């Protein structure tokens, strides 16, 4: 056993030498526009709480009421006795919100992607995936046993090449993020839909970072592009713009019935606590009632991108509330993040394997509730430190 632990220590030492070792910081208080870490009050530019509703009174009130009425746990998988009426009501609200026949809630985005993909494809099938799709999509494809083809990021010529190679498989599943979590750019959904239909494939979209932000009342990027009714599988999460936890899949009733019976990550896990499900229901209402939030988050993000691009930062092709600042070197990226921390700005360094080698970056996440004054101050600090480090 000594050698086992020694090997672990050696691997951790290698990570540390490569500036890839990670530690968790304790956050005090709610994750809102400002957070407290290590006794410092920091402007939070690292949260996925895009609409700023994680601490919304409607969400908190709904969660408290659910605890009082139903307790703190579902106590079992939903196919056993963990399926409260509340679940059914929320899934109906969700289906209505997404303009689909039905919907199903999963415990997390990771569980949803792994469960959906492994349930729908297997050894006689093929998954065609954007090269920088989220890790949960990649893992789901690998676990399914299906063949996998990866097309160059957003490259429709390469996607068509993959579709031609996929001829002859029983089922062809194209999977893409809608808003890419580390680059902040948007999938060309209309073109993907056209190719999907041309080659008689099935399309799955991960709206984790698109839900709540894009489309009418935050219905997602597929709605924004007007292609929702041509997408078979609409997946998304509640832990980001919706300020809650969990994930969903929406689509035809037959699809949802099938996944309820076949998705192992749904079948073999205890349902989400009633408080979480109730907060999801409230979040769906808030997102639609307070649609100024999606307008504000996109407007603030657009201003930040413009200001940072002016001075020469490489923001890749960001078009969303996610703004990467490409640095490249792991050590320099960490130093950039540390210096921002010193001046009370939280902008976490993102390093491999989350992003490709030599593509380390800061990932700025804008919230609808960030004040213009705070954001303007942060932009000036980012420019100053960027010049000091020779990034611009």
């Amino acid at each position: 056993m000594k050698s086992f632990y020694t090997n672990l220590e050696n691997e951790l030492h290698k990570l540390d030498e490569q500036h890839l070792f990670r530690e968790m910081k304790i956050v005090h208080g709610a994750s809102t526009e400002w957070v407290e870490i290590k006794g410092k009050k920091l402007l939070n530019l690292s949260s996925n709480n895009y609409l700023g509703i994680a601490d919304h009174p409607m969400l908190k009130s709904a969660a408290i009421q659910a605890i009082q009425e139903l307790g703190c746990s579902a106590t079992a998988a939903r196919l056993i006795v963990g399926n409260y009426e509340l679940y059914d009501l929320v899934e109906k609200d969700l289906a209505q919100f997404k303009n689909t026949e039905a919907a199903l809630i999963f415990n997390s985005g990771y569980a949803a992607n792994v469960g959906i993909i492994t349930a729908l494809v297997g050894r006689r099938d093929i998954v065609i995936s954007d090269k920088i799709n989220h890790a949960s999509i990649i893992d789901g494809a690998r676990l399914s046993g299906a063949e996998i083809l990866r097309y160059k990021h957003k490259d429709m010529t390469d996607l068509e090449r993959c579709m031609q190679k996929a001829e002859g498989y029983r089922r062809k599943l194209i999977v893409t993020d809608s808003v890419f979590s580390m680059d902040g750019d948007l999938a060309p959904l209309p073109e993907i839909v056209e190719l999907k239909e041309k080659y008689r494939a099935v399309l799955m979209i991960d709206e984790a970072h698109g839900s709540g932000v894009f489309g009418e009342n935050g219905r997602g990027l597929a709605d924004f592009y007007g292609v929702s009714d041509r997408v078979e599988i609409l997946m998304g999460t509640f832990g980001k713009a919706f300020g809650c936890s969990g994930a969903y899949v929406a689509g035809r009733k037959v699809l949802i019935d099938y996944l309820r019976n076949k998705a192992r990550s749904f079948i073999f896990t205890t349902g989400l606590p009633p408080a979480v499900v109730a907060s999801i229901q409230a979040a769906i209402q808030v997102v639609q009632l307070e649609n100024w939030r999606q307008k504000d988050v996109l407007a603030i993000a657009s201003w930040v991108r413009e200001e940072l691009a002016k001075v020469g930062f490489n923001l890749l092709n960001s078009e969303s509330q996610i703004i990467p600042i490409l640095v490249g070197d792991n050590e320099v990226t960490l130093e950039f993040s540390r210096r921002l921390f010193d001046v009370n700005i939280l902008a976490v360094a993102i390093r491999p394997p989350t992003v490709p080698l030599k593509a380390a970056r800061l990932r700025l996440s804008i919230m609808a509730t960030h004040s213009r004054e705070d954001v303007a101050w942060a932009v000036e600090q980012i420019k100053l430190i960027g010049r000091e480090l020779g990034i611009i």
Side-chain angles (χ1 to χ4, degrees), residues 149-343:
L149 287 176
R150 298 171 70 197
Y151 60 93
K152 295 173 185 176
H153 179 49
K154 294 174 57 175
D155 187 327
M156 295 298 96
T157 300
D158 200 41
L159 173 56
E160 183 153 26
R161 178 191 64 82
C162 289
M163 296 310 301
Q164 291 167 350
K165 289 183 68 175
E167 286 297 328
Y169 284 87
R170 182 190 67 158
R171 183 173 291 157
K172 294 168 282 190
L173 177 66
I174 302 172
V175 189
T176 182
D177 286 347
S178 65
V179 178
F180 291 91
S181 61
M182 293 300 136
D183 287 32
D185 54 348
L186 311 180
L189 296 185
E191 292 89 344
I192 294 173
V193 167
E194 291 293 332
L195 287 172
K196 180 266 297 190
E197 292 174 349
K198 179 178 178 179
Y199 290 96
R200 295 188 177 93
V202 174
L203 176 58
M204 174 179 170
I205 296 175
D206 181 339
E207 290 269 28
H209 298 272
S211 290
V213 177
F214 288 90
E216 184 181 358
N217 290 328
R219 288 193 175 93
L221 194 67
D223 181 86
F224 174 79
Y225 281 127
V227 296
S228 293
D229 59 345
R230 298 165 67 188
V231 178
E232 287 78 15
I233 306 158
L234 294 162
M235 173 269 173
T237 60
F238 296 115
K240 299 174 178 65
F242 284 83
C244 305
S245 185
Y248 68 84
V249 59
R252 295 273 187 92
K253 183 179 182 298
V254 64
L255 169 71
I256 302 307
D257 287 344
Y258 182 87
L259 292 173
R260 193 180 292 115
N261 283 274
K262 289 286 190 176
R264 292 170 65 85
S265 61
F266 169 80
I267 296 168
F268 298 107
T269 192
T270 298
L272 286 171
V276 174
V277 183
S279 68
I280 291 170
Q281 186 175 42
I284 293 170
Q285 295 170 8
V286 170
V287 167
Q288 295 175 88
L289 290 170
E290 301 180 7
N291 56 15
W292 59 266
R293 293 175 181 271
Q294 76 178 100
K295 295 171 186 173
D296 280 11
V297 70
L298 291 174
I300 297 168
S302 178
W303 183 85
V304 171
R305 279 198 307 274
E306 184 179 336
E307 290 298 308
L308 294 178
K310 277 181 189 175
V311 295
F313 281 112
N314 184 349
L315 309 179
L316 300 175
N317 294 304
S318 171
E319 306 167 77
S320 69
Q321 73 281 6
I322 299 164
I323 306 171
I325 299 177
L326 185 65
V327 178
D329 182 80
N330 295 333
E331 186 176 7
V332 176
T333 307
L334 285 170
E335 181 61 20
F336 199 169
S337 179
R338 278 194 288 264
R339 292 196 190 187
L340 286 171
F341 189 94
D342 289 342
V343 296

Side-chain angles (χ1 to χ4, degrees), residues 337-362:
S337 179
R338 278 194 288 264
R339 292 196 190 187
L340 286 171
F341 189 94
D342 289 342
V343 296
N344 300 325
I345 297 170
L346 181 64
V348 174
I350 307 295
R351 295 157 288 157
T354 308
V355 293
L357 292 173
K358 300 180 181 180
R361 66 199 66 178
L362 297 185

Side-chain angles (χ1 to χ4, degrees), residues 54 56-75 82 84 86-87 90 105 238 242-246 271-284:
H56 195 286
M58 282 179 63
L59 274 66
K60 293 193 287 187
S61 176
I64 291 167
Q65 184 176 344
I67 289 174
Q68 291 173 337
E69 293 179 1
L70 300 170
C72 293
S73 173
T75 75
Y84 293 113
L86 179 62
Y87 260 112
V90 176
I105 292 174
F238 296 115
F242 284 83
C244 305
S245 185
L272 286 171
V276 174
V277 183
S279 68
I280 291 170
Q281 186 175 42
I284 293 170

